[in-house]
Amino acid sequence: MKSRTRTAAVAVAASIAAASLAGCGGDSLEEKGGGSAGDTKASLVIGSAGFTESKLMAELYSQVLRDAGYDTSVKTLKNRELYEPALEKGEIDIVPEYAATLAEFLNGKENGPKAEPVASSDVEQTVKALRKLAEPRGLKVLAAGSAVDQNAFAVTEEFARKHHLKTLTDLGKSNQKIRLAAGDECDIRPYCRPGLEKTYGIDVTEVDMKGVGTTTAKQAVKDGTDQLVLTTTTDATLDDFGLVLLEDDKKLQNADNLLPVVNAADAGSDSIATALDKVTQTLSTEDLVELNRKVDAERQKPADVVEEYLRSKGLLKK
C-alpha cells in the first residue's frame, strides 16, 4: 500500500474529521502539533476498544503522556474494525494493541482473508511481521513488553467435571454441541469460531453475541444458556462465575504481547515513545490481571486504578 501523501485535499479531510471528534468531546485534531520532531507538546487522542482491559491500557497511556506534558483524551470505539482505520486517518493517535491479533488483522486487510498467517508464538518474529504490514499504512509499532493477553475459552467447573475436560482438545473429543458466548467478530476471526472448529473439531452451533468476557457472557455460561465463553487469560473474575479455562494445548493462540501503536505522522516522536515505553516495560501479566480485577470485581473506576498503579511504580512525577 502506498505511503500517505500530505496534500491539500487530505488536510481538508483532516479538518472535517477534527471537527467531528471535537463534537464527541475530544480535542480538535487541528490543535495537534508535535509531529515526529517531538519538540512541541501536542493534544493526543488515545483510542480504546469497548472492554475493560483496553480501557485500562488507554488510561495508562493517557496518564503517563499527560504527566509528560501532553494534553490527552480517550476515545472509545467498539472494535478494531473501527479504531484501526481511525488510527490510519489520524482521527486517533495511539491505541493499545496485541501483537499477533493486529498482525493478522492487517495481514487480512492487505492480502485477503485467506492470506498465509504471519503471526506465531514467537513475539519477536510476530512484531517484525506486524511492523512490515503497519509501516506502509502510516503506523508505527512501538516495543512489546512482557505482559501478554491471549484469547481463552472457559466452561463451568461442573461442565468440565462431567465431560472430563482440561483442554480444548478434550472439548472437541467430547462431541458436545457448543453455544459460544463471544463478540460479534467471533464468526470471522480465525482464532475464534473458525479456529475452534478447524483446530480442535469443536461443534460450535451458534455464537451468542454477548461480548468478549463480559458479565452477561459469563453469566450465560454459568446459567447453562451457553456452554463456552470467549474471554482472556487475564480475566480476573472467572472464579466469581464458577468458570475454569480450558488449556489451548494445540497453541491456536499466538503471541499477543501488549504494545502501543501510533499514527507515525502525528504521534511518532521519540518523546511519546519514551513515555509509553515506561508503561510497556513495567507492566506484567500479573499486574494486568490485578488491574482488571479492581475494575471488574471491585467496581473501581479505571482512572483511579491506573493512577494508583502508576504512582506505586514511580511512573508519575506530578
Side-chain angles (χ1 to χ4, degrees):
M1 184 172 181
K2 294 181 180 178
S3 299
R4 294 189 305 169
T5 302
R6 296 288 180 177
T7 64
V10 173
V12 171
S15 296
I16 293 172
S20 175
L21 274 179
C24 295
D27 293 311
S28 170
L29 296 180
E30 292 174 341
E31 295 174 3
K32 292 179 187 174
S36 60
D39 56 359
T40 302
K41 298 306 180 185
S43 294
L44 299 171
V45 181
I46 295 91
S48 164
F51 58 95
T52 296
E53 186 168 287
S54 184
K55 292 177 181 178
L56 281 165
M57 291 302 303
E59 188 64 36
L60 282 165
Y61 293 173
S62 179
Q63 290 195 26
V64 295
L65 287 167
R66 193 179 306 136
D67 191 66
Y70 293 85
D71 292 327
T72 63
S73 62
V74 175
K75 182 176 179 62
T76 301
L77 296 101
K78 186 177 181 181
N79 55 39
R80 188 172 287 104
E81 281 76 4
L82 295 177
Y83 69 68
E84 191 280 330
L87 184 64
E88 286 190 31
K89 295 173 185 176
E91 294 173 357
I92 58 177
D93 303 297
I94 301 162
V95 292
E97 262 295 1
Y98 302 88
T101 299
L102 182 60
E104 292 303 343
F105 177 81
L106 294 181
N107 186 31
K109 286 186 71 172
E110 183 70 20
N111 301 308
K114 296 183 179 180
E116 188 73 20
V118 296
S120 70
S121 58
D122 186 319
V123 64
E124 291 185 5
Q125 291 301 314
T126 298
V127 172
K128 182 179 179 180
L130 171 57
R131 286 177 172 149
K132 184 177 180 180
L133 288 162
E135 289 173 4
R137 294 179 176 273
L139 305 181
K140 181 179 180 181
V141 178
L142 303 185
S146 63
V148 60
D149 185 4
Q150 297 168 316
N151 285 345
F153 297 90
V155 298
T156 63
E157 294 178 357
E158 180 182 358
F159 190 83
R161 284 196 301 271
K162 181 178 180 180
H163 299 288
H164 310 288
L165 308 178
K166 292 185 178 180
T167 68
L168 289 171
T169 293
D170 293 339
L171 181 59
K173 289 180 177 179
S174 73
N175 296 318
Q176 296 298 304
K177 294 188 180 300
I178 300 298
R179 194 165 187 258
L180 170 61
D184 57 3
E185 306 157 8
C186 184
D187 274 320
I188 60 172
R189 287 284 170 84
Y191 301 106
C192 197
R193 181 178 186 169
L196 291 176
E197 293 175 336
K198 181 178 180 180
T199 302
Y200 289 106
I202 297 172
D203 185 3
V204 180
T205 61
E206 183 181 355
V207 174
D208 185 9
M209 297 180 184
K210 284 184 164 60
V212 179
T214 63
T215 297
T216 53
K218 285 177 279 195
Q219 189 66 45
V221 176
K222 179 180 179 180
D223 294 343
T225 303
D226 300 330
Q227 292 74 47
L228 186 69
V229 61
L230 169 62
T231 184
T232 68
T233 53
T234 59
D235 190 329
T237 66
L238 293 177
D239 287 346
D240 298 339
F241 295 89
L243 303 179
V244 292
L245 293 178
L246 296 180
E247 181 188 350
D248 178 22
D249 53 310
K250 292 184 179 178
K251 307 299 181 186
L252 174 63
Q253 308 303 323
N254 289 325
D256 262 330
N257 295 64
L258 277 81
L259 43 67
V261 181
V262 307
N263 180 289
D266 295 331
S269 68
D270 290 342
S271 59
I272 290 174
T274 298
L276 294 175
D277 192 58
K278 293 178 182 178
V279 173
T280 301
Q281 297 306 317
T282 301
L283 188 70
S284 68
T285 304
E286 292 73 22
D287 290 341
L288 199 51
V289 171
E290 181 63 10
L291 292 173
N292 284 329
R293 187 189 66 78
K294 288 183 176 181
V295 174
D296 288 336
E298 297 182 5
R299 305 301 181 192
Q300 295 187 42
K301 295 180 179 179
D304 295 340
V305 170
V306 164
E307 181 177 2
E308 179 184 14
Y309 172 77
L310 291 173
R311 292 198 182 282
S312 73
K313 298 295 184 179
L315 298 182
L316 295 181
K317 302 187 295 292
K318 300 175 183 178

